[in-house]
Amino acid sequence: NAGVMQNPRHLVRRRGQEARLRCSPVKGHSHVYWYRQLPEEGLKFMVYLQKENIIDESGMPKERFSAEFPKEGPSILRIQQVVRGDSAAYFCASSLPVGGAESAEAFFGQGTRLTVV
Amino acid sequence: SQKIEQNSEALNIQEGKTATLTCNYTNYSPAYLQWYRQDPGRGPVFLLLIRENEKEKRKERLKVTFDTTLKQSLFHITASQPADSATYLCALAGSGNTGKLIFGQGTTLQVKP
């Protein structure tokens, strides 16, 4: 029973290149979340997706960042024209549906550590 | 604006003692609160969830309390062990209960043998 799988674990990009981070949720989970963790800081919410829909992108920078969760395949977080400030650990989490009085634990992947040089 | 604060300084305790970590929040009324453990270079791992109408939750050596009047949660590890050394994160449910989590910055616990 595989957990959340993220790849790559480590990614090095030069300034101006594109970074693509992949996340396969726990089997049967339809909700995916992306978080960013800067050194010595807590996790910051970026975006919440369901299959083929972006539900909440309030934490996403307005430019250069995009996310998708297609009907088939993993969720992708894409960062265009990376800058040094994008260097961070990016975590994906998945959960069962939540809402109303329900709540669900989030299962996190091991993260992708992006380094921009 | 919503704010979550955890003990910013590392907590060092002796093996066998009880560790108590604090999570305070302001300008917020979460439906539930979660605690996670994070080891260096790894993703957070879920430990416990407590709902707004619950005062206390236990799981093995872990205990969480939730005081919505004080806007505070306490996380206790009894009979602590060196293997409990990690960073512990408090997380609140985002508005609308969509599953989005708002995390504190974490408290690093070091249990000395």
Side-chain angles (χ1 to χ4, degrees), chain A residues 7-27:
Chain A
N7 67 80
R9 289 293 307 277
H10 301 274
L11 182 62
V12 179
R13 284 287 177 267
R14 297 186 184 278
R15 280 178 293 170
Q17 290 185 319
E18 178 181 288
R20 291 171 71 87
L21 287 62
R22 294 175 182 75
C23 168
S24 296
V26 171
K27 188 175 181 180

Side-chain angles (χ1 to χ4, degrees), chain A residues 1-7 22-29 31-32 74 92-95 105-111, chain B residues 42 44-45:
Chain A
N1 186 16
V4 175
M5 304 300 292
Q6 288 189 250
N7 67 80
R22 294 175 182 75
C23 168
S24 296
V26 171
K27 188 175 181 180
H29 284 189
H31 294 219
V32 165
C92 170
S94 72
S95 74
E105 74 178 86
F107 292 79
F108 280 82
Q110 301 294 10
Chain B
R42 314 281 294 206
V45 174

Side-chain angles (χ1 to χ4, degrees), chain A residues 9 31 33 35 37 40-45 48 55-56 58 91 98-111 113, chain B residues 31-32 34 36 38-47 49 51 87 89 93 95-106:
Chain A
R9 289 293 307 277
H31 294 219
Y33 307 84
Y35 292 84
Q37 188 172 39
E40 307 304 323
E41 291 189 19
L43 288 128
K44 303 293 185 190
F45 168 79
Y48 161 40
I55 308 301
D56 181 347
S58 57
F91 290 95
V98 296
E102 296 297 316
S103 56
E105 74 178 86
F107 292 79
F108 280 82
Q110 301 294 10
R113 275 143 192 87
Chain B
Y32 58 88
Q34 301 183 16
Y36 287 79
Q38 187 174 25
D39 291 281
R42 314 281 294 206
V45 174
F46 172 82
L47 295 175
L49 179 152
R51 294 182 173 79
T87 296
L89 307 172
S95 58
N97 195 21
T98 60
K100 162 187 171 182
L101 295 173
I102 301 172
F103 282 88
Q105 77 273 29

